[in-house]
Amino acid sequence: MPTGADGKPLVIPPMRNLRDNMQALVDEAAEGGVEYLVCANTPINTLDDIKSSIEVLNKTDEACRKAGIGFAYHNHDAEFRAVEGQIPYDLFLTQTKVKMELDLAWAVKGGKNPVDIFKQNPGRFPLWHVKDLDASRENILPVGEGTIDYKPIFDAASIAGMQHFYIEHDMPKDPWASMTTSFKNLTKMLG
């Protein structure tokens, strides 16, 4: 547990969630002027979990539209693994109208080609997370230092409907060095 300035462990309040606190979270996001409320995780362990998550995502999307903001779902690689014979991410795409904040590296780790996903679902991906992975797909690296070829992915940005992308590196040893390297490499890749 991290400690505060006083040296005592921080007390982290319980996290609110869309299932129990959706309207309050939507209202706060709208009041704060955010462009998109993003759901970064939802239960997907069983088909019933997935069905309940789809219901919550659809209700939240509707509430966000009424509030005048966008709503998106952020994936990890687990959404691309079969649950009771179904791929959760495919169900999210076919049973919702929710926009996606596609974490490109997690999609690649999950065995998917982002460009193929874009072509099958044009305009659904206004937000991207951009990071790189080593050949084992287990270690996160600065963009351009790993194995993901970002040139064809960025060439498909208009098909995807990309509006914003975020360079990300989960828990790097040196955040500033990672960010600087990623920015430099991405700038060079994209010309």
Side-chain angles (χ1 to χ4, degrees), residues 10-91:
L10 292 176
V11 177
I12 299 173
M15 291 195 65
R16 295 183 294 163
N17 64 69
L18 294 175
R19 184 192 66 220
D20 301 329
N21 315 103
M22 181 264 297
Q23 194 60 56
L25 292 168
V26 169
D27 292 345
E28 289 172 13
E31 184 180 322
V34 301
E35 188 174 350
Y36 283 93
L37 175 65
V38 177
C39 175
N41 197 6
T42 192
I44 59 168
N45 295 319
T46 67
L47 204 48
D48 284 341
D49 283 347
I50 296 166
K51 288 175 185 176
S52 294
S53 292
I54 287 169
E55 185 178 325
V56 170
L57 294 173
N58 281 326
K59 286 180 180 178
T60 305
D61 189 47
E62 183 180 330
C64 284
R65 288 175 198 268
K66 286 179 182 175
I69 62 172
F71 178 61
Y73 180 75
H74 175 86
N75 65 284
H76 298 86
D77 63 313
E79 287 86 347
F80 299 102
R81 289 191 290 255
V83 175
E84 299 176 38
Q86 300 287 320
I87 303 297
Y89 202 78
D90 292 346
L91 294 174

Side-chain angles (χ1 to χ4, degrees), residues 23-187:
Q23 194 60 56
L25 292 168
V26 169
D27 292 345
E28 289 172 13
E31 184 180 322
V34 301
E35 188 174 350
Y36 283 93
L37 175 65
V38 177
C39 175
N41 197 6
T42 192
I44 59 168
N45 295 319
T46 67
L47 204 48
D48 284 341
D49 283 347
I50 296 166
K51 288 175 185 176
S52 294
S53 292
I54 287 169
E55 185 178 325
V56 170
L57 294 173
N58 281 326
K59 286 180 180 178
T60 305
D61 189 47
E62 183 180 330
C64 284
R65 288 175 198 268
K66 286 179 182 175
I69 62 172
F71 178 61
Y73 180 75
H74 175 86
N75 65 284
H76 298 86
D77 63 313
E79 287 86 347
F80 299 102
R81 289 191 290 255
V83 175
E84 299 176 38
Q86 300 287 320
I87 303 297
Y89 202 78
D90 292 346
L91 294 174
F92 292 163
L93 286 169
T94 59
Q95 296 182 24
T96 77
K97 293 180 183 175
V98 172
K99 298 290 186 181
M100 299 294 177
E101 179 179 70
L102 188 64
D103 188 308
L104 300 164
W106 291 147
V108 169
K109 181 176 179 174
K112 300 294 182 179
N113 178 338
V115 175
D116 291 341
I117 297 172
F118 301 154
K119 288 177 180 176
Q120 293 162 2
N121 305 277
R124 292 278 299 269
F125 306 91
L127 310 173
W128 295 359
H129 274 212
V130 183
K131 61 180 163 239
D132 218 332
L133 297 171
D134 68 1
S136 73
R137 304 287 192 236
E138 296 302 320
N139 298 299
I140 299 169
L141 300 170
V143 177
E145 302 293 304
T147 59
I148 298 175
D149 183 1
Y150 275 104
K151 182 78 171 103
I153 296 171
F154 273 88
D155 286 347
S158 63
I159 296 168
M162 190 264 286
Q163 297 170 2
H164 307 284
F165 69 88
Y166 310 94
I167 294 172
E168 180 184 42
H169 186 159
D170 307 32
M171 309 305 285
K173 289 180 184 175
D174 183 342
W176 295 112
S178 175
M179 187 171 30
T180 301
T181 299
S182 292
F183 183 79
K184 179 185 74 172
N185 289 341
L186 196 54
T187 300

